[in-house]
Amino acid sequence: MITLSHVTKSFGPKQVLTGVDLVVPKGQSMVVIGGSGTGKSVLLKCILGLVHPDQGTITLDGQDVEKAEREAFLARFGMLFQGGALFDSLRVWENIAFRLLRGPLKLPKAEAREAAIEKLRRVGLTPETADLFPAELSGGMQKRVGLARAIAASPEIIFFDEPTTGLDPIMAGVINDLIREIVTEMGATAITITHDMSSVRAIADRVAMLHGGVIRWEGPVAEMDATPDPYVQQFIHGRAEGPIAAVR
Amino acid sequence: MTGLLAALGRPLLAVLAAFGRLAIYAAQVMAGLLRRPFYSREFLSALLNVGWLSLPVVGLTAIFTGGALALQIYAGGQRFNAEAVVPQIVAIGMVRELGPVLVGLMIAARVTSSIAAEIATMKVTEQIDALVTLSTNPLKYLTVPRVLAGTLTVPLLVAVGDIIGIMGGFAVATGQLGFNKATYIQNTIDFLETADVVSSLIKGAVFGAIATLIGCYHGMNSGRGAMGVGQATKTAVATASILILAANFLLTSVMFGS
């Protein structure tokens, strides 16, 4: 279980998070929605320790993440980045097997390659893709490779940062379905940040809306449409009029 | 008056703070050298990129500089009937100063820029963050192998540059200025001392460390977007070049000042 209590974060004079309280139960898929620039990515980076909160605490299964042993802590996570963040200088299979080629999970090269090809198949790519470089892949293929890398070491917790941004609706649907299937079959805890409502409906068990630096609303995805919260209603229906300013 | 002092003090404090951050980064790299894991594949790749692939530019720079140096010494020496010192001055000039400095500046142009641009692009595209989430320390994975490769290969490049530079001077002196080949080589060998060669190699190691360290540092601390990558690359090359020239003066003062 991931618990955030009164987490704040500023960058210079700009207060991004002003007191985030959120609980992500073990094995649940939480989707965090919110407009651009509301701090969704910062929230994920705070949990991972890539960004340090100014105040508040973040715990993973009751342990303060700031005090956790870094390598063991990070070994529990996998992350799909918005742009894929694949390493340009490494082939696709080396990207996927990155953790399996070094560190405590190190496997012989042939085994690591086989494991990478298996993950490629899992995300719907052929073994021929394994020896390509990331620059030779389309945007959708890069996302799938990023997804394969995120799940390669069978992490307990997976983060998805804008998984469908920049993809056509069909490819976005494919990625959404893959994420849902993988999270379910691995029994992983997942946090996805997105402003794509089709992703929310496909991936989420629970939804949290981040606005004004705080969680405005949180609840099961089935209750999202019925909530009277005007911020949630404006966001999920994409209305220009409402409490959320169109120009931020 | 207070305003003037503040205006002078602010940039001074900024420069001191920048040096402080760089010194801390250098100390972290040194500590990283002593701790496992060591990424041997990245080290071998850096050896290839910093050393082997820099040979053409180093060789061409050295051969033309050696040739031009021979012409200048001959022309200058004629003014006081000292044309015969061409082999000795080319040798000492190349080995003690021009070889290390020119190789250092070429490495700053070729390697520092490429390292800074590569790492800055990795930062902008979240590849550095991805490394962290894959339980890999970016400093150990990206910086340590490059700095070690620079420290080990640039002295070798300097040695090659020294030899090619001397050969450039030899080609011009014997082909154009009428020097005897055997005498030229003999004079060069007789005049050079072990200390000259050792000083050249020490300078190469220091310049290699500076060039790679600065490239990594500015790459890791780049701003956002294409402008951030461009700014990081530009600043890295300028800083590395200035630090190499400053280090050359300090090393020359220490080794030959007395």
Side-chain angles (χ1 to χ4, degrees), chain B residues 12-55:
Chain B
L12 180 66
L13 285 174
V15 168
L16 289 174
F19 270 105
R21 284 192 293 271
L22 183 59
I24 291 168
Y25 188 73
Q28 288 171 337
V29 173
M30 295 284 280
L33 275 167
L34 305 173
R35 284 202 313 267
R36 295 180 73 187
F38 180 73
Y39 296 102
S40 51
R41 187 181 148 162
E42 282 62 40
F43 174 63
L44 293 173
S45 167
L47 280 181
L48 179 76
N49 187 38
V50 178
W52 181 251
L53 297 178
S54 297
L55 271 174

Side-chain angles (χ1 to χ4, degrees), chain A residues 194-209:
Chain A
T194 185
H195 36 226
D196 176 356
M197 292 314 297
S198 64
S199 291
V200 177
R201 294 179 205 285
I203 298 170
D205 293 321
R206 300 184 70 82
V207 179
M209 181 171 179

Side-chain angles (χ1 to χ4, degrees), chain A residues 45 74 86 88 94 98-99, chain B residues 41 127 129 132-133 136:
Chain A
K45 288 180 179 180
L74 288 167
L86 301 175
D88 303 319
E94 292 169 320
F98 192 89
R99 263 188 176 147
Chain B
R41 187 181 148 162
Q127 291 178 52
D129 286 345
V132 176
T133 63
T136 303

Side-chain angles (χ1 to χ4, degrees), chain A residues 137-196:
Chain A
L137 305 177
S138 68
M141 289 166 87
Q142 288 189 15
K143 289 272 183 175
R144 290 196 207 202
V145 173
L147 181 54
R149 185 176 68 183
I151 62 170
S154 304
E156 297 166 47
I157 303 147
I158 315 176
F159 289 171
F160 303 98
D161 185 358
E162 308 272 11
T164 56
T165 298
L167 301 180
D168 66 67
I170 296 169
M171 186 52 68
V174 169
I175 295 288
N176 286 337
D177 291 346
L178 269 173
I179 289 174
R180 182 71 253 186
E181 283 170 26
I182 286 168
V183 167
T184 304
E185 78 188 25
M186 290 173 66
T189 306
I191 302 182
T192 306
I193 59 175
T194 185
H195 36 226
D196 176 356

